[in-house]
Amino acid sequence: MSSRKPASPNKYLPFVIIAVVLGVALAGAALLYQSSTDTARTARLDEPPSTAAQPTAALPPRTPLPGAQPPRTRGSSGENTATLEEFGDFQCPPCGAMHPIIKAIEEENGARLRVIFRHLPLSNHVHAFNAALAAEAAGRQNRFWEMHDALYEKQRSWSTAKDARPLFAEYARTLGLDVTRFNSDIKAPEAVARVRADMERADSLGINATPTLLINGREVAYSTVDDLRARIKNAVAAGGQ
Amino acid sequence: MNEMFEPEVIKVSEARAKRSAVIYAVAGLLALAGLADSIYLAIEHVAGRDVRCTVTTGCNEVLDSSYASLPGDIPLAALGAVAYFAAFSLATLAAFGYVRARPLLAALVASMFMTTLWLLFVQAFVIRKFCEFCLLSAAMTASLTGLIVYDWWKRASDHRRESSSILRSDR
C-alpha cells in the first residue's frame, strides 16, 4: 500500500488481523442469522409444546384456537387441496417481501393449493392494526384480497405516513369500494373481533413473528424461497395430507 | 538538517509514530464496535425479526422505514457493515505504519460522517423517532471522525513546529 516502510517488524500482521476479523464477522453473521431463523421457525405447531421448551410444564398444553371464522381464504376448497396459512402483518417488511413469492406459489399450484390469511399485527408497527381493519372492512364488500394485495404492494407508502387511514380510504376508492361504508366498517366491532380472533389463534399456536407460514397446520421451517416452494409442492403432491 | 539533532529527531519521530499507532488502534476498535452493531441490524432485517429498543422507543419505526433499506430491500445496515469493515482495515494498516491508508481512512470516515448526519436528520425531523442501535452507530462514526481530525491536527501542528525549529537551527 505504501512506498514507506511500515513501522511494524511484521508487515503481514495487519493483513492477518484483517483476515481474522473478516472471518469472525462472517461466521458471527451466519450464526446470528441461523439463530434468528431458528427462533422464528421451529417445531411442529399442531402438537402440544414439549416440556423442554416449556418450563411451566405443570400448565396444561394450550389448544389451538380456530381464528376468525370463516377464514379469509383464496383458492380451491376441494378435499385433496393443500392449505397454506400465513400469519402476516401488513406493515412488516418481510411480509411485504413474501407477498409476491406467495402469489407466485399460488399461481404455480393453481387449484391444488388453498391460501388462508391470518392477521397478526405486531404492536410495534403503529399502522398494522388499522391496516388489518382496512382489509377486513374491504372484506365486508367482498374485496378482502384486493385490499390485502394493495396494502402489501403500497406498504412503503403508508408505513411511513403519520396517519395511514386516509391512504387506506384512497385504496378503497381505487378498488371501487363504497368509501362511506368502508370508513364505517373499518371501525366496526366485527372487524376488530375478526382480527383479534386471528391474533388469539397465533397466540394459542405460540406464533409471535411474521410472516409465519403453516402448511396443513404445521409450521414451515424453510431456509430459502426454493426450499419453501419445494415443501409446498410436496404438500400439494401429497394431496393435502 | 544538523546531525547534532538527529538522536532527538529520532526520539520525537518514534513518539509520533507511537501516538499515531495508538490513535489508529483506537479507531480500529471503534470500527469493530460499529461493525458488530451494523451486522446485528443487517441480519435482523434480513431474518425479518423486530429489533427491540431498550432505551429509545422507535427502533421499528426507524428500521422498518424506507430510509433503512436500499433498492432491492438491501438493508442500509449492510452498507454500514461494509463501511465499518473498510474503516477497520484501513485503521489497522495505518496503525502498523502504512501511511497511505490515512487519507483513504479520512475520506471514508468523512463520507460515513456525512451519511450519519443525514440519518440523524431523518430520525429527528422525518420519522421523529430514534433507534438506539442507529444512535450507537452515529456515536461510533462521530468518535472515528474526532480521532481522525485529532490525528491530522496533531500532525499539522508537529509539522509547523518542525518547520520553525529547522528555520531556527539554520540561522
Side-chain angles (χ1 to χ4, degrees):
Chain A
M1 172 159 279
S2 167
S3 54
R4 243 196 257 181
K5 194 182 166 188
S8 166
N10 188 347
K11 63 179 178 177
Y12 297 113
L13 185 57
F15 298 100
V16 172
I17 293 171
I18 291 166
V20 168
V21 165
L22 179 62
V24 169
L26 291 176
L31 280 174
L32 189 59
Y33 180 73
Q34 185 75 34
S35 71
S36 290
T37 48
D38 283 353
T39 323
R41 308 171 184 125
T42 47
R44 288 166 54 170
L45 295 172
D46 53 349
E47 289 179 357
S50 69
T51 47
Q54 291 281 323
T56 51
L59 295 171
R62 299 189 66 179
T63 312
L65 295 173
Q69 295 300 321
R72 294 296 179 189
T73 307
R74 182 149 71 177
S76 167
S77 56
E79 272 192 9
N80 294 325
T81 307
T83 303
L84 175 67
E85 188 175 1
E86 179 194 358
F87 284 84
D89 168 334
F90 290 114
Q91 200 178 346
C92 124
C95 300
M98 181 63 81
H99 169 63
I101 295 166
I102 290 181
K103 281 201 94 172
I105 289 173
E106 274 184 81
E107 281 169 22
E108 285 164 18
N109 293 283
R112 293 166 301 165
L113 182 69
R114 172 177 48 232
V115 175
I116 295 175
F117 183 83
R118 297 283 185 195
H119 298 288
L120 184 50
L122 302 176
S123 56
N124 41 25
H125 290 150
V126 286
H127 301 316
F129 197 86
N130 280 338
L133 294 178
E136 283 302 327
R140 286 169 74 88
Q141 295 183 52
N142 299 318
R143 290 282 197 283
F144 174 84
W145 289 102
E146 288 83 350
M147 181 59 86
H148 163 279
D149 292 351
L151 288 169
Y152 273 144
E153 283 155 20
K154 293 167 183 168
Q155 188 189 64
R156 281 176 189 270
S157 309
W158 57 264
S159 285
T160 48
K162 200 169 182 180
D163 183 2
R165 285 169 300 185
L167 289 171
F168 298 153
E170 184 56 41
Y171 303 156
R173 185 174 294 112
T174 309
L175 293 173
L177 300 182
D178 174 345
V179 179
T180 312
R181 186 180 162 196
F182 173 84
N183 285 334
S184 159
D185 285 345
I186 205 168
K187 298 175 208 148
E190 292 83 358
V192 176
R194 283 188 61 87
V195 176
R196 293 262 180 235
D198 280 353
M199 292 169 75
E200 282 164 12
R201 173 165 168 74
D203 188 43
S204 71
L205 291 168
I207 295 170
N208 58 7
T210 56
T212 295
L213 302 177
L214 278 67
I215 300 176
N216 299 327
R218 294 178 184 210
E219 188 172 356
V220 197
Y222 60 93
S223 52
T224 62
V225 172
D226 287 339
D227 182 29
L228 172 66
R229 191 170 265 131
R231 283 166 191 268
I232 292 175
K233 207 164 197 166
N234 289 342
V236 166
Q241 298 303 304
Chain B
M1 193 176 290
N2 193 325
E3 280 186 6
M4 274 176 70
F5 293 104
E6 217 163 56
E8 186 64 26
V9 168
I10 288 168
K11 213 183 282 174
V12 167
S13 106
E14 273 177 5
R16 283 177 197 164
K18 199 173 174 185
R19 184 189 68 209
S20 268
V22 170
I23 287 173
Y24 286 107
V26 173
L29 290 175
L30 287 171
L32 268 187
L35 176 65
D37 184 44
S38 303
I39 286 178
Y40 170 69
L41 289 178
I43 295 297
E44 294 298 288
H45 183 112
V46 172
R49 281 164 62 91
D50 287 324
V51 172
R52 301 213 178 278
C53 280
T54 50
V55 181
T56 58
T57 55
C59 280
N60 283 305
E61 286 83 353
V62 173
L63 297 170
D64 289 349
S65 75
S66 56
Y67 298 95
S69 302
L70 297 167
D73 203 31
I74 298 164
L76 187 62
L79 185 66
V82 172
Y84 277 117
F85 179 71
F88 168 77
S89 303
L90 291 169
T92 304
L93 289 170
F96 277 84
Y98 288 82
V99 290
R100 283 188 192 168
R102 289 175 187 166
L104 292 176
L105 178 63
L108 174 65
V109 169
S111 65
M112 288 167 74
F113 186 65
M114 296 310 286
T115 309
T116 293
L117 290 181
W118 161 244
L119 293 174
L120 284 174
F121 171 83
V122 166
Q123 287 179 81
F125 300 107
V126 180
I127 305 172
R128 293 176 194 274
K129 295 269 181 185
F130 286 96
C131 151
E132 63 204 41
F133 296 97
C134 312
L135 295 180
L136 178 67
S137 177
M140 293 302 146
T141 303
S143 306
L144 273 173
T145 309
L147 275 176
I148 302 298
V149 168
Y150 175 74
D151 182 58
W152 281 76
W153 172 72
K154 283 300 274 182
R155 278 190 294 114
S157 59
D158 288 345
H159 182 72
R160 274 198 302 275
R161 205 176 302 129
E162 219 166 60
S163 305
S164 58
S165 71
I166 288 167
L167 283 174
R168 275 198 302 275
S169 64
D170 284 348
R171 271 179 204 165

